Amino acid sequence: SALYASLFQDDISVDVYNNLIKAVDENLDTLNRYVDIKKKFLGLEDIHMYDLYVPLTESFDMKIPYEEAQEIVLNALKPLGEEYLGLIKRAFEENWIDVYENEGKQGGAYSWGSYDSHPYILMNYKDDLNSLFTLIHELGHSMHSYYSKKTQPYLYSGYKIFVAEVASTLNELLLINYLLEKADSKEERVYLLNYYLEQFRTTVYRQTMFAEFEKLTHASVEDGNPLTAKEFNDIYYDLNKKYYGNSTVVDEQIALEWARIPHFYSNFYVYKYATGFSAASALSQKILTEGKVAVDKYIEFLKSGGSDYPLNQLKSAGVDMEKKESVDKALEVFKELVDKLEKEY
Ligand SMILES: [Zn+2]
């Protein structure tokens, strides 16, 4: 099958793909419960897809200057140990980061570098929560690259996309954990919870829905059915109904959304966002509960670069993505955050 052929290059079994879809399908009630809570917060009778992007706190905003962000990052990443923190400090002190917007500078953010240099980060820091998350995210990529390049020969120093978002997401999870612990007003907690639940929804639920769309469309062709825009529309609309139907008004226009997702030109790519997030979620829980033992394994993972297949690397780090429970556990984190948001209403 097209799916088998695509996963083969990373030595990923079709089970991993199917388990992800199955686990998410079994947890759609939590997604709909989350949307229902949003509806209550926003005071709406009906909620539509476009309402999901509206913030829940009207006047609350967080202003986080870069100096403060550095301090927060260092505190949030404490669970990763002194050595990791030392590298983050070097990144700050030795100017690995091009921080602010500038005339002619590219937008967005990324981490880059060469085999024999330290990593470099380009970002456009804007004193807000989103920038803080971007900073800690890119630092995750940088540390992964730093450890891999220091440890591996040139040939194996690059890591695969399947594991690429683990280190960055894990940092984000430690950050949200830290910020929620410190938050001292209801508005701040709601603001943080909403921010992170949206990240979760768009990374795990939404990307898995995309993955299911790809699975269904390819399977349809393999069954000998031609695909036209009408078939794409129907499959996509039905999926939206299945995912959001118990809480959201699924407008007919959403049927066309598949046409604006550029990732569909790279077949079976988007599921890696959801599995990466799930793996990071499981590993961050381990780091927070088991401490040093889990941290040591995790640092070994960062050092392993592209020297083994992704599933083996993650297994050594402590998470088996061939087991459905690994995704279930991540979805439990989502459920806990939804519970917290519900309590704030
Ligand atoms: Zn990233």
Side-chain angles (χ1 to χ4, degrees), residues 93-122:
E93 283 158 16
E94 296 173 18
N95 293 321
W96 296 7
I97 307 167
D98 188 348
V99 180
Y100 296 107
E101 282 184 301
N102 206 344
E103 212 181 312
K105 181 173 161 181
Q106 182 176 348
Y110 59 78
S111 166
W112 208 249
S114 60
Y115 182 66
D116 54 4
S117 79
H118 62 68
Y120 288 89
I121 292 175
L122 173 142

Side-chain angles (χ1 to χ4, degrees), residues 137-138 141 164-165 168:
H137 179 105
E138 296 309 328
H141 286 311
E165 292 302 331
S168 52

Side-chain angles (χ1 to χ4, degrees), residues 55-320:
L56 298 185
T57 41
E58 216 172 321
S59 53
F60 187 82
D61 206 0
M62 287 176 86
K63 200 170 156 42
I64 308 161
Y66 185 61
E67 288 66 31
E68 201 184 310
Q70 292 177 298
E71 221 171 283
I72 296 173
V73 165
L74 289 170
N75 283 321
L77 297 181
K78 261 193 191 131
L80 293 176
E82 279 309 312
E83 188 190 76
Y84 192 100
L85 284 184
L87 288 169
I88 299 278
K89 277 184 199 146
R90 274 189 63 194
F92 290 151
E93 283 158 16
E94 296 173 18
N95 293 321
W96 296 7
I97 307 167
D98 188 348
V99 180
Y100 296 107
E101 282 184 301
N102 206 344
E103 212 181 312
K105 181 173 161 181
Q106 182 176 348
Y110 59 78
S111 166
W112 208 249
S114 60
Y115 182 66
D116 54 4
S117 79
H118 62 68
Y120 288 89
I121 292 175
L122 173 142
M123 65 177 304
N124 289 274
Y125 194 87
K126 281 195 189 76
D127 291 4
D128 58 12
L129 185 65
N130 191 37
S131 290
L132 171 63
F133 271 93
T134 306
L135 175 64
I136 209 162
H137 179 105
E138 296 309 328
L139 281 166
H141 286 311
S142 291
M143 295 306 129
H144 195 177
S145 301
Y146 181 89
Y147 275 116
S148 286
K149 285 169 182 168
K150 265 262 174 281
T151 316
Q152 299 296 328
Y154 178 75
L155 186 62
Y156 298 125
S157 60
Y159 41 80
K160 290 260 191 186
I161 297 287
F162 192 91
V163 294
E165 292 302 331
V166 172
S168 52
T169 313
L170 188 134
N171 281 5
E172 284 193 43
L173 285 158
L174 293 177
L175 175 60
I176 189 69
N177 197 68
Y178 172 76
L179 291 174
L180 282 172
E181 253 171 36
K182 267 196 28 159
D184 49 15
S185 75
K186 179 192 158 108
E187 282 198 309
E188 187 175 355
R189 281 192 298 272
V190 170
Y191 186 85
L192 290 167
L193 285 165
N194 182 51
Y195 179 88
Y196 210 70
L197 281 164
E198 276 304 288
Q199 294 282 99
F200 212 116
R201 178 180 73 81
T202 49
T203 314
V204 180
Y205 281 101
R206 186 172 162 81
Q207 305 301 330
T208 304
M209 189 180 82
F210 290 170
E212 200 168 349
F213 177 73
E214 287 187 85
K215 191 185 157 186
L216 292 170
T217 49
H218 281 85
S220 183
V221 171
E222 282 158 9
D223 281 347
N225 306 312
L227 285 174
T228 64
K230 169 149 192 340
E231 271 85 35
F232 280 130
N233 284 351
D234 291 346
I235 294 171
Y236 197 81
Y237 185 82
D238 288 346
L239 277 173
N240 271 279
K241 260 254 160 332
K242 179 172 119 180
Y243 273 68
Y244 293 95
N246 285 332
S247 58
T248 315
V249 180
V250 183
D251 295 302
E252 60 179 283
Q253 290 89 337
I254 200 71
L256 286 160
E257 196 190 23
W258 59 267
R260 70 162 194 87
I261 312 293
H263 288 91
F264 290 147
Y265 288 105
S266 317
N267 55 332
F268 304 113
Y269 181 94
V270 290
Y271 85 99
K272 296 176 195 180
Y273 288 117
T275 47
F277 199 101
S278 302
S281 185
L283 292 175
S284 70
Q285 295 302 100
K286 269 183 181 285
I287 286 167
L288 289 172
T289 52
E290 292 169 20
K292 195 177 170 346
V293 185
V295 171
D296 288 348
K297 279 190 190 167
Y298 175 65
I299 302 291
E300 283 309 307
F301 161 75
L302 296 182
K303 287 178 178 170
S304 66
S307 62
D308 198 352
Y309 285 121
L311 288 185
N312 297 341
Q313 292 177 304
L314 288 172
K315 220 175 269 176
S316 316
V319 54
D320 185 352

